Amino acid sequence: MPKSKSSAVAKIPPRRKREPLTRSQMMARIRSKNTKPEVLTRSAVQALGLRFRNHVGDLPGKPDLANKSHKWAIFVHGCFWHSHTGCRLASSPKSNTGYWSEKLARNQVRDAEKIAALESQGYRVLVVWECEVRDGARLQRALEMFFASAVR
């Protein structure tokens, strides 16, 4: 019998039918790959007729989408985790603020380093934000502008 694709984390019953989750349980459910914004961005890039690889491990920062032969890379960033300036989704945590402010600042520094490393290798880099993906037209415009100047 073929194996079904199931996630490692069990399905959560509705809030009214369960005990509240612990912080650890909540954090364990946050994915780093194949998030909804990432999947939607991949679909939009595929619709443009472009080929790419996912999570390219031998490039700095392991871009979410990349094409080595045409030297472009796309990162899909969550507005909270990467501190999107001026975005309502990038709220500041109210508890354990010392830890979170340092953590989110480190994420921004790391992102800048990885983008600079890719650009020094001749890559064109686009950062797609979660809030852009929520607005399909905005995502489409960003992708079209990014690829308009590039040879596919």
Side-chain angles (χ1 to χ4, degrees):
M1 189 161 168
K3 250 186 178 176
S4 66
K5 279 191 171 181
S6 64
S7 64
V9 179
K11 190 107 170 143
I12 305 172
R15 191 176 285 162
R16 67 184 182 280
K17 293 184 178 180
R18 65 171 165 81
E19 293 296 316
L21 295 175
T22 64
R23 175 77 58 188
S24 177
Q25 290 170 324
M26 285 186 277
M27 297 303 285
R29 285 169 169 76
I30 297 171
R31 295 186 297 177
S32 62
K33 289 183 180 178
N34 300 320
T35 61
K36 188 172 182 179
E38 187 181 319
V39 170
L40 291 171
T41 302
R42 285 198 307 241
S43 296
V45 172
Q46 284 176 332
L48 293 173
L50 299 167
R51 304 281 297 168
F52 56 87
R53 297 278 180 244
N54 299 329
H55 313 292
V56 183
D58 57 348
L59 289 177
K62 200 171 180 184
D64 298 306
L65 290 73
N67 184 310
K68 288 179 166 183
S69 61
H70 295 293
K71 291 204 165 225
W72 58 262
I74 298 176
F75 290 99
V76 182
H77 284 179
C79 295
F80 171 77
W81 294 105
H82 298 271
S83 302
H84 189 196
T85 308
C87 179
R88 68 177 181 79
L89 301 176
S91 62
S92 299
K94 303 295 182 250
S95 62
N96 204 2
T97 54
Y99 167 78
W100 282 108
S101 60
E102 287 179 31
K103 164 80 174 140
L104 298 175
R106 282 193 315 267
N107 287 354
Q108 286 184 308
V109 169
R110 185 194 62 232
D111 292 342
E113 289 171 354
K114 300 306 180 183
I115 289 169
L118 278 168
E119 288 173 341
S120 73
Q121 292 180 19
Y123 279 80
R124 296 176 57 251
V125 179
L126 173 66
V127 174
V128 174
W129 291 97
E130 174 185 4
C131 59
E132 289 177 329
V133 176
R134 288 181 176 204
D135 179 359
R138 196 168 151 199
L139 171 63
Q140 195 64 34
R141 279 193 308 273
L143 291 173
E144 287 171 358
M145 285 175 46
F146 180 69
F147 291 116
S149 61
V151 178
R152 295 180 192 203

